[in-house]
Amino acid sequence: MIFNTYWFVLFAVVFFPGYWLIRWPAARGGWLLCGCAVFHTHFAGPAGVVPIVALGALTYACALSRHRLLCYGAVAACVIALVGYKYTHFLSSEIIAAVAPELGAKTNAVAATWLPAIPPLALSFFTFEFVHYLIDVARGHAPIRRPKEFALFAIYFPSLVAGPIKRYQDFTAALPQALGRVELADIAAGAQRVALGFCKKILLADNLTVALAFYEKDFFALTAPEAWLFLAALAARILLDFSGYTDIALGFSQMLGVRLPENFNYPYAATGLRDFWARWHISLSSWIRDYIYIPLGGSRHGRVRRFLNLVVAFALCGLWHGPAGHFLLWGLWHGGGLVVQATYRTALGPLGAKLGAGFDRAPLLGWLVTLLFVAFGWLLFFYPAAQAWAMAVKLLTFR
Amino acid sequence: MTFPKLKALVLLLAIPIGFALAVRLGREAEGYAKPQKFIRLHYGISPESLYYLPFSMLENVALARWAPGKTIVIVAGNSILNGYGQAEPDVWTLRLQEELGDRYVVVNLAFRGALPYEAGALVAESLLRRNYPVVLVSNTSPGTVGRVAGNAYGYLYYDALYKGRLFNHPARDANIAEWEATATPAVRAEQDELRRAARLDANFHFQALWHHVGYRHLFTTWNSRSSPQFWQPRASAKDDLPVAPPLAERFRTELASELAITRGFSVNLAEPDGSGSWRILGPPAEIVSDLIDDMIPPKMRRHMVMLLTQNAPFYRTRLTPTELARDNLVFSAYEQHWRKHGIAGHIVGLDFTDEDYYDRSHLAATGGRKLARLTADYVRQLAPP
């Protein structure tokens, strides 16, 4: 994690007091932009900065034109960059190679020559923010006119690496106020949030990560209660890790006077899968709703099309997390789960109606089923499909 | 002033005050953090169990039993000198202390997997720099020197360096810089972070404070082998390193792989000379020579005993006569190599029996006693009582 490096400590010690001491909004904005540029250049490396600068410049220019075709052209460029950097290896070695092994190997070799071993820093996040911006402008929203303001939106360091995925309307509304004056209460609340995030991430999540790495080697030798404890730890770990990171990002942003969107709202308290997705990684799920599910037609073209859209949206959501088959399956698991949740009352006839009424009367049952569904989903998220299946069988058969 | 504003102000003032207090406590902890009745660095008090003890603790351990007129014998090196294979009461450095008597203070600062000149060896350098009478005993195999940075215990080098504990030795700095220049970006970034941590710690003493909390009160990092529970203070961790079983049960690991390792001690260091004998290869010897020059400050060398530890006869006797001749030549040549640099090199283990060994390389209690007798002589030659 970037926020617990000594480099970041030194950066923060210089950057934050400087930001608070500068009173002139334009100078404060300049300081913030410099800080963001230094942060991104340090962690991405000079070569890693090129994609965000190139795509950012294209996005800014196309949006400024307010020309729909240009905006959608820039959207295509962002998507091509994301797919090219992140998924070429996966597509060539897993998909193309399955159909035409020679072509797959050739594509893979070309990709290895031209593409960096790891995708540019924060690629998945900044491309999604650019796509949101371009589509909203194409839909008639006003673009950001000042290059400095757009640059801040593009490389704002608290949310750059792992979100939340910002909406430019909220960010550009909050920025002038923050650059004008930072409230003492915001700095204090932000510091508390950062401290909470570090506790969640370092004290809890990182320890769980080490423990899980140790026990997963011998998962099949664990007793049934131990295996279930492992599953609980797996579910706790991802929540604590990601929400801890988000707390740190939100806290640092609040210390700059900018409130970023919340990403988590007690997701494991959800009483249904739809409820879960309204609470888990909220900035991503709302992005997928607004820029994939609804443009695909949402629920406007009948039940079958609605469910197909849902499955497609969640398959893409799964793939967004990483270029691997098990991420895709994790997305399909959730997409399929949402379809089942939306249909079982009618599809199962009287039994479905009874079942639905039971869930309505006993929300605790809904909570338990949701939690189990999500927890088993994490097996697909973290492990290859065959291993996840074997682990699930072991858990369900209590062996 | 409104109550929320006052609350925020109090919190924001508490942060620098708390930080200053923590720095003060860290300075205090640096002075006294040390284990009681220290014998050796076992699993529970080493980085192997994610317990990154600070350099100051090693120094405190080294000085704990010292009094004017006594020579401090720092034992560094790897698991062989750590006493892996010997029960805590039988650790060879306790026997070395008995052999040497009260005029010497023997401190075992050997870590498993450590190079001949890192970790504990740097404590000897620090003490010598502060004019304490010191002898450093370390061990290695022919052809192995390594760098003080870039390994599992490399953080101790930066810790000592930025606290001003080491001799100024520009060749060492240049060697590390040269190595880093050819390393991967990830390795360079890791080294940069270690340096930043050590620089900050030299001013703010957070490692010592955290170490003190972890050692005396509460440990916060999970690991699989810390006993009894990971959160319990490391002061309560027991020395549970393995002990040599009866002779009949030893040397059970795969013979072929162990023999390959035994051969590996000399295979790349010598070549046939055309007359049925062997000659030492030049390039590896030059690398060792350069690394000794670069890593070990000249002032340190005449205070050092470097033991070239031989493998168990169980394996050596299974080498072919030609391989054995090569092994003997290489050990002798590298013993001389260390001596050419002003360091007292000695081969040990040639006359040891299988009973003296726990496995291929580590010694059982009887081997430890023999090692103690030999080492005591070497120490007395460097620092007469």
Side-chain angles (χ1 to χ4, degrees):
Chain A
M1 183 180 72
I2 279 171
F3 291 136
N4 68 353
T5 59
Y6 289 101
W7 186 91
F8 184 76
V9 170
L10 291 169
F11 168 82
V13 163
V14 175
F15 172 77
F16 280 97
Y19 182 85
W20 297 323
L21 287 172
I22 296 169
R23 296 286 169 174
W24 187 37
R28 186 179 265 178
W31 179 254
L32 178 60
L33 186 59
C34 284
C36 293
V38 168
F39 178 94
H40 193 247
T41 309
H42 174 78
F43 287 110
V49 170
V50 174
I52 197 170
V53 171
L55 285 174
L58 182 72
T59 300
Y60 174 72
C62 292
L64 209 58
S65 74
R66 304 188 79 161
H67 194 287
R68 279 172 63 91
L69 205 62
L70 284 177
C71 286
Y72 283 112
V75 168
C78 289
V79 173
I80 289 166
L82 178 64
V83 173
Y85 276 117
K86 197 170 168 179
Y87 300 99
T88 303
H89 177 71
F90 169 70
L91 290 171
S92 56
S93 61
E94 303 283 325
I95 310 293
I96 301 173
V99 187
E102 271 187 34
L103 183 63
K106 271 185 190 167
T107 321
N108 216 10
V110 171
T113 314
W114 288 96
L115 295 173
I118 48 169
L121 182 76
L123 177 76
S124 305
F125 288 92
F126 71 72
T127 48
F128 267 36
E129 288 187 347
F130 289 170
V131 167
H132 132 74
Y133 173 64
L134 288 160
I135 292 177
D136 278 15
V137 170
R139 284 172 181 169
H141 289 259
I144 301 171
R145 297 224 157 263
R146 292 185 192 138
K148 192 167 91 178
E149 206 172 326
F150 179 79
L152 278 172
F153 169 67
I155 61 167
Y156 184 63
F157 81 83
S159 64
L160 180 69
V161 182
I165 300 165
K166 306 185 293 292
R167 297 296 174 103
Y168 86 96
Q169 297 90 339
D170 302 332
F171 183 76
T172 51
L175 197 61
Q177 205 179 342
L179 297 179
R181 183 182 167 83
V182 183
E183 295 294 335
L184 207 59
D186 272 339
I187 299 173
Q192 281 177 295
R193 188 87 188 251
V194 168
L196 173 73
F198 274 119
C199 287
K200 282 159 82 171
K201 173 82 179 87
I202 294 170
L203 282 180
L204 302 173
D206 286 356
N207 267 329
L208 284 172
T209 303
V210 181
L212 287 164
F214 178 76
Y215 285 111
E216 78 184 6
K217 294 194 292 277
D218 299 317
F219 180 81
F220 294 99
L222 297 178
T223 63
E226 284 170 345
W228 278 92
L229 195 62
F230 180 93
L231 185 68
L234 196 71
R237 182 241 158 184
I238 189 166
L239 174 64
L240 291 165
D241 190 88
F242 197 9
S243 74
Y245 195 97
T246 303
D247 284 333
I248 297 168
L250 264 59
F252 278 132
S253 187
Q254 196 172 355
M255 288 169 76
L256 299 174
V258 176
R259 301 275 181 106
L260 290 175
E262 290 291 340
N263 234 1
F264 295 92
N265 180 24
Y266 302 100
Y268 291 160
T271 53
L273 203 53
R274 202 173 158 180
D275 186 22
F276 172 79
W277 279 103
R279 294 161 175 266
W280 178 273
H281 204 170
I282 299 164
S283 65
L284 174 68
S285 52
S286 58
W287 190 99
I288 284 175
R289 179 198 63 210
D290 294 346
Y291 302 105
I292 296 179
Y293 176 70
I294 292 174
L296 282 173
S299 56
R300 298 188 302 274
H301 303 288
R303 281 164 66 89
V304 174
R305 178 75 183 273
R306 177 188 160 201
F307 298 143
L308 188 68
N309 292 341
L310 205 57
V311 170
V312 169
F314 271 88
L316 292 173
C317 170
L319 272 180
W320 179 84
H321 287 84
H326 63 99
F327 286 118
L328 176 67
L329 289 173
W330 174 78
L332 291 171
W333 170 259
H334 276 275
L338 283 164
V339 171
V340 170
Q341 191 191 357
T343 54
Y344 77 93
R345 285 176 196 251
T346 48
L348 295 179
L351 177 69
K354 268 188 189 173
L355 212 56
F359 280 128
D360 292 341
R361 274 198 305 274
L364 208 62
L365 193 64
W367 167 77
L368 190 66
V369 171
T370 307
L371 196 60
L372 285 171
F373 185 89
V374 170
F376 275 92
W378 293 133
L379 293 176
L380 273 175
F381 188 87
F382 285 109
Y383 303 103
Q387 190 184 347
W389 172 254
M391 290 167 94
V393 168
K394 177 183 164 63
L395 285 159
L396 291 170
T397 53
F398 293 91
R399 280 189 298 202
Chain B
M1 189 180 278
T2 60
F3 181 69
K5 206 168 181 178
L6 185 69
K7 207 172 111 183
L9 195 65
V10 168
L11 178 81
L12 292 175
L13 281 174
I15 292 172
I17 292 168
F19 183 75
L21 191 67
V23 171
R24 176 76 193 148
L25 288 170
R27 277 184 76 94
E28 291 291 318
E30 212 156 57
Y32 67 82
K34 60 176 178 286
Q36 306 294 319
K37 296 176 185 169
F38 176 81
I39 292 178
R40 65 175 160 182
L41 296 155
H42 55 81
Y43 184 82
I45 48 171
S46 90
E48 282 184 278
S49 60
L50 305 178
Y51 177 73
Y52 289 86
L53 67 181
F55 189 76
S56 60
M57 173 178 159
L58 295 178
E59 277 192 325
N60 292 337
V61 166
L63 289 171
R65 291 187 293 120
W66 182 79
K70 294 188 178 192
T71 298
I72 308 170
V73 180
I74 301 283
V75 175
N78 61 26
S79 53
I80 299 173
L81 297 199
N82 177 269
Y84 190 86
Q86 300 146 27
E88 198 182 47
D90 296 326
V91 172
W92 79 281
T93 41
L94 295 176
R95 304 291 85 79
L96 179 62
Q97 180 70 72
E98 288 164 9
E99 291 281 342
L100 288 168
D102 290 345
R103 304 274 295 177
Y104 299 84
V105 177
V106 178
V107 188
N108 188 337
L109 298 182
F111 284 93
R112 287 176 63 190
L115 291 163
Y117 198 81
E118 70 169 346
L122 298 174
V123 176
E125 185 179 323
S126 166
L127 297 183
L128 186 68
R129 190 181 155 276
R130 291 150 70 190
N131 297 317
Y132 285 96
V134 172
V135 172
L136 168 64
V137 178
S138 190
N139 77 307
T140 188
S141 57
T144 303
V145 180
R147 282 179 190 83
V148 289
N151 312 301
Y153 308 105
Y155 79 97
L156 286 167
Y157 166 67
Y158 293 121
D159 192 357
L161 181 71
Y162 291 114
K163 290 200 171 85
R165 292 294 204 233
L166 303 180
F167 285 122
N168 181 28
H169 188 40
R172 183 160 56 193
D173 306 336
N175 184 298
I176 293 167
E178 198 180 318
W179 161 70
E180 272 193 61
T182 58
T184 62
V187 169
R188 280 204 297 275
E190 188 188 5
Q191 295 301 306
D192 283 342
E193 271 295 280
L194 284 173
R195 270 194 291 271
R196 280 183 209 111
R199 280 196 174 119
L200 284 170
D201 190 52
N203 294 297
F204 301 118
H205 312 280
F206 48 86
Q207 297 283 16
L209 178 63
W210 199 236
H211 154 75
H212 178 74
V213 172
Y215 189 74
R216 293 275 172 225
H217 305 290
L218 168 78
F219 202 70
T220 54
T221 309
W222 186 91
N223 76 94
S224 60
R225 274 193 51 196
S226 55
S227 59
Q229 297 295 341
F230 84 85
W231 60 82
Q232 292 187 313
R234 289 306 177 95
S236 65
K238 298 281 180 285
D239 183 338
D240 59 355
L241 288 176
V243 179
L247 184 58
E249 293 172 28
R250 295 181 211 169
F251 314 118
R252 291 282 180 89
T253 46
E254 202 184 327
L255 183 65
S257 63
E258 292 294 304
L259 264 176
I261 297 171
T262 308
R263 279 188 204 101
F265 272 60
S266 61
V267 73
N268 294 320
L269 302 177
E271 62 180 355
D273 67 353
S275 64
S277 191
W278 297 93
R279 66 167 163 252
I280 295 296
L281 276 167
E286 281 163 25
I287 291 170
V288 165
S289 192
D290 289 346
L291 278 170
I292 294 172
D293 280 338
D294 289 353
M295 289 300 124
I296 308 174
K299 284 178 192 166
M300 196 62 220
R301 296 180 199 166
R302 61 193 172 83
H303 299 270
M304 282 176 68
V305 175
M306 186 56 67
L307 304 174
L308 282 94
T309 35
Q310 259 294 5
N311 290 300
F314 182 87
Y315 299 101
R316 292 187 62 245
T317 52
R318 282 165 171 77
L319 296 175
T320 64
T322 329
E323 287 171 341
L324 195 60
R326 185 184 64 203
D327 193 69
N328 287 333
L329 173 77
V330 163
F331 268 80
S332 301
Y334 277 86
E335 180 188 43
Q336 291 306 316
H337 213 66
W338 284 92
R339 289 182 180 179
K340 272 184 225 160
H341 288 82
I343 294 162
H346 297 281
I347 302 167
V348 290
L350 277 176
D351 53 348
F352 288 13
T353 64
D354 281 342
E355 195 164 17
D356 296 328
Y357 281 85
Y358 159 65
D359 56 18
R360 180 186 52 74
S361 58
H362 301 104
L363 298 172
T366 56
R369 276 197 289 278
K370 286 182 181 173
L371 180 66
R373 273 198 293 278
L374 287 169
T375 308
D377 286 341
Y378 305 147
V379 170
R380 280 193 215 100
Q381 284 167 22
L382 280 190

